[in-house]
Amino acid sequence: MGKRAKIILLAVLILLILLSGAYLYYTISMQDRTSERNAAIAAARTQARLTEVERADKWVWGENSIFWVVLGTTAAGEEEYVWMKYNADGTPAEGQNALRTLPVSGTVTRDDMRSRFEAELPDAKLIRLLPGVYSNQYIWQIFYEQNDTRYYRFYNLKDGSEVGQPSALPKW
């Protein structure tokens, strides 16, 4: 084997080691979040009687407003949102309002909200669209960037009306 072939083989080996290390680091660093997500999905299946789960999103708006929002289907075939409240330490909350459900029928869908956002702010870049709870209302939270500034907007999940004013984040 020539010197050039050895150098190429060594470079490929180093690259594989680096990629494996990056993958391992990512897997270990996401382990807690993944296990929390899986526990929330399992609890939503059990407590809200979901038979299928389409997605699960973590909503955080301060220490006292942490939810996993699970979208799934019941045994009766109805789509439902399930809000599962969590404590700041990552454990499920207990007591009244720890679990909330809302049928998807009669709400503004994620796709409808995305279309509305794109029509209202065509020059803005959508970063994230999440369901959540804000001002004691079920809402869509839209996080977006426009003119080098990032904003949050909230829309009522049931009727699509805007909740409050857009909040601009300070520039970095």
Side-chain angles (χ1 to χ4, degrees):
M1 183 181 290
K3 184 176 181 179
R4 182 179 169 109
K6 287 180 184 180
I7 291 173
I8 290 173
L9 185 60
L10 182 62
V12 168
L13 183 61
I14 290 171
L15 181 63
L16 287 174
I17 290 170
L18 289 174
L19 288 174
S20 297
Y23 176 76
L24 184 61
Y25 172 77
Y26 176 79
T27 302
I28 290 170
S29 65
M30 293 300 291
Q31 190 171 14
D32 288 343
R33 182 174 170 93
T34 301
S35 62
E36 186 179 313
R37 178 183 184 275
N38 290 342
I41 289 172
R45 284 182 185 271
T46 302
Q47 295 175 25
R49 294 186 169 81
L50 297 180
T51 56
E52 293 180 33
V53 171
E54 185 176 323
R55 65 180 298 139
D57 296 299
K58 188 171 186 178
W59 159 266
V60 179
W61 197 257
E63 277 188 17
N64 296 321
S65 189
I66 302 170
F67 292 90
W68 273 96
V69 184
V70 179
L71 172 61
T73 307
T74 65
E78 295 181 14
E79 281 190 303
E80 194 167 75
Y81 289 108
V82 179
W83 276 265
M84 305 194 63
K85 189 166 178 53
Y86 273 70
N87 300 313
D89 64 359
T91 59
E94 294 181 4
Q96 189 176 12
N97 293 326
L99 176 89
R100 306 172 187 186
T101 60
L102 178 70
V104 172
S105 63
T107 65
V108 178
T109 67
R110 180 180 299 271
D111 290 338
D112 289 344
M113 198 72 250
R114 179 177 282 119
S115 297
R116 177 178 172 180
F117 170 77
E118 290 169 352
E120 287 180 6
L121 298 165
D123 60 331
K125 177 187 169 202
L126 179 65
I127 297 172
R128 185 174 52 242
L129 175 61
L130 292 175
V133 177
Y134 180 75
S135 294
N136 293 319
Q137 297 180 54
Y138 297 115
I139 54 95
W140 282 113
Q141 173 202 53
I142 297 181
F143 182 46
Y144 65 99
E145 185 172 334
Q146 185 177 33
N147 300 327
D148 295 327
T149 303
R150 291 183 172 193
Y151 297 89
Y152 283 103
R153 279 187 187 230
F154 303 99
Y155 294 89
N156 187 295
L157 190 84
K158 294 179 182 177
D159 64 13
S161 61
E162 195 164 353
V163 177
Q165 297 296 314
S167 301
L169 295 178
K171 292 190 179 188
W172 321 76

